[in-house]
């Protein structure tokens, strides 16, 4: 049976959802969201990211929900509808918050028993710091952020390189590859859509309010027929 490689973009919905369910000011998240530090600052922000992570994971009523984030909810929904062996490849933007969210999504699946076989997300080794070349990471897209003065076009080019590489690896292994665009920057969707058409890769999106899943383009892709 073919394996489904699900490339899932990671945003900050985990923290935004947590903020909605707490009566306290979520200062740790607000500060990082305002400053928008890139991954280059990751190792200098160890205490801040640890505090933020602990605050979210210790709130069990929130942390244990299968809809605590758009990434978790959509991955579970895709697994439910496809009834397929799934390996998840998380893709974060070049921001500390997106990277931390990806680390926590991976942790969520490690702590909860689901039919997701593997969730892949790795940080570049600290010795490669600073993160000066896209070749050092398959999971974090360098320059893909909106920080003032950043070269966002370079980020889009890096994103294309990363996606091309992952799609090629999946096809070489004889696996199905699909892109889960439920979370992450909405600004990248036009480019990702064009790439998906060019490479014959399906797009999946979960509508949060109805918890329903759509494949894009709807006429071309059907989840059950795609995995036969």
């Amino acid at each position: 049976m073919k394996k489904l490689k699900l490339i899932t973009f990671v945003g900050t919905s985990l923290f935004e959802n947590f903020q909605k369910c707490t009566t306290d000011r979520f200062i740790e998240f607000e500060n990082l969201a305002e400053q928008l530090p890139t991954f280059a600052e990751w190792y200098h922000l160890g205490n801040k990211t640890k505090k933020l992570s602990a605050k979210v994971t210790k709130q069990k009523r929130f942390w244990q929900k299968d809809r605590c984030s758009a990434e978790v909810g959509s991955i579970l929904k895709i697994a439910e509808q496809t009834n397929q062996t799934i390996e998840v490849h998380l893709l974060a933007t070049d921001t500390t918050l997106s990277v931390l969210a990806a680390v926590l999504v991976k942790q969520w699946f490690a702590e909860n028993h689901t039919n997701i076989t593997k969730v892949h997300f790795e940080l570049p080794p600290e010795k490669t710091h600073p993160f000066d070349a896209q070749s050092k990471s398959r999971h974090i897209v360098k320059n893909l952020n909106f920080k003032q003065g950043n070269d966002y076009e370079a980020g889009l080019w890096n994103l294309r390189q990363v996606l091309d590489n992952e799609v090629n690896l999946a096809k070489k292994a004889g696996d199905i590859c699909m892109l889960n665009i439920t979370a992450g920057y909405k600004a990248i969707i036009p480019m990702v859509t064009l790439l998906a058409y060019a490479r014959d890769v399906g797009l999946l999106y979960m509508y949060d309010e109805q918890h329903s899943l759509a494949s894009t383009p709807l006429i071309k892709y059907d989840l059950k027929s795609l995995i036969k």
Side-chain angles (χ1 to χ4, degrees):
M1 178 181 265
K2 289 184 178 181
K3 178 178 65 183
L4 171 58
K5 179 177 184 177
L6 185 66
I7 299 175
T8 299
F9 296 94
V10 180
T12 58
S13 65
L14 179 69
F15 307 119
E16 292 161 1
N17 291 347
F18 181 81
Q19 189 173 39
K20 290 175 185 177
C21 76
T22 181
T23 56
D24 299 327
R25 278 197 65 193
F26 197 9
I27 298 174
E28 297 87 350
F29 169 64
E30 292 173 3
N31 288 343
L32 289 177
E34 182 179 353
Q35 297 163 10
L36 198 66
T38 65
F39 178 70
E41 301 172 68
W42 174 265
Y43 297 106
H44 300 296
L45 295 169
N47 289 334
K48 288 185 178 181
T49 56
K50 285 178 182 177
K51 287 181 180 179
L52 179 53
S53 176
K55 193 163 189 177
V56 172
T57 57
K58 286 180 179 178
Q59 184 62 259
K60 297 303 181 184
R61 285 196 301 175
F62 169 80
W63 175 243
Q64 292 175 350
K65 289 183 178 179
D66 61 6
R67 295 184 66 184
C68 62
S69 77
E71 296 83 5
V72 170
S74 59
I75 290 168
L76 291 174
K77 191 68 174 180
I78 292 166
E80 173 192 326
Q81 290 202 5
T82 60
N83 192 29
Q84 180 80 3
T85 300
I86 293 179
E87 283 197 12
V88 178
H89 182 94
L90 298 177
L91 204 57
T93 60
D94 190 2
T95 64
T96 295
L97 281 174
S98 179
V99 172
L100 181 58
V103 169
L104 290 174
V105 168
K106 181 179 178 180
Q107 180 181 334
W108 190 95
F109 280 98
E111 294 178 3
N112 292 273
H113 299 290
T114 69
N115 60 345
I116 308 298
T117 57
K118 291 182 180 178
V119 176
H120 299 280
F121 185 81
E122 302 297 334
L123 297 174
E126 189 171 353
K127 64 181 179 181
T128 66
H129 185 71
F131 181 32
D132 56 6
Q134 186 57 63
S135 60
K136 293 180 179 178
S137 180
R138 292 173 57 190
H139 299 277
I140 304 168
V141 184
K142 182 173 173 58
N143 290 123
L144 194 63
N145 66 70
F146 290 108
K147 193 162 186 174
Q148 188 173 2
N150 179 55
D151 188 353
Y152 185 69
E153 289 186 9
L156 288 176
W157 177 252
N158 289 334
L159 174 62
R160 179 176 178 177
Q161 286 184 300
V162 171
L163 289 177
D164 270 333
N165 182 59
E166 295 306 320
V167 170
N168 287 339
L169 287 173
K171 291 188 174 182
K172 187 176 181 180
D175 296 328
I176 303 161
C177 186
M178 300 192 79
L179 308 180
N180 178 9
I181 59 172
T182 304
Y185 282 152
K186 300 310 175 190
I188 68 173
I189 289 180
M191 194 207 77
V192 171
T193 301
L194 290 173
L195 179 65
Y197 267 109
R199 300 301 307 275
D200 197 28
V201 173
L203 297 176
L204 296 170
Y205 181 87
M206 187 183 76
Y207 296 93
D208 186 56
E209 292 80 4
Q210 289 79 30
H211 202 46
S212 59
L213 193 68
S215 55
T216 307
L218 292 170
I219 296 175
K220 187 174 181 181
Y221 291 105
D222 173 76
L223 283 179
K224 291 183 178 179
S225 64
L226 194 67
I227 62 176
K228 288 181 179 178

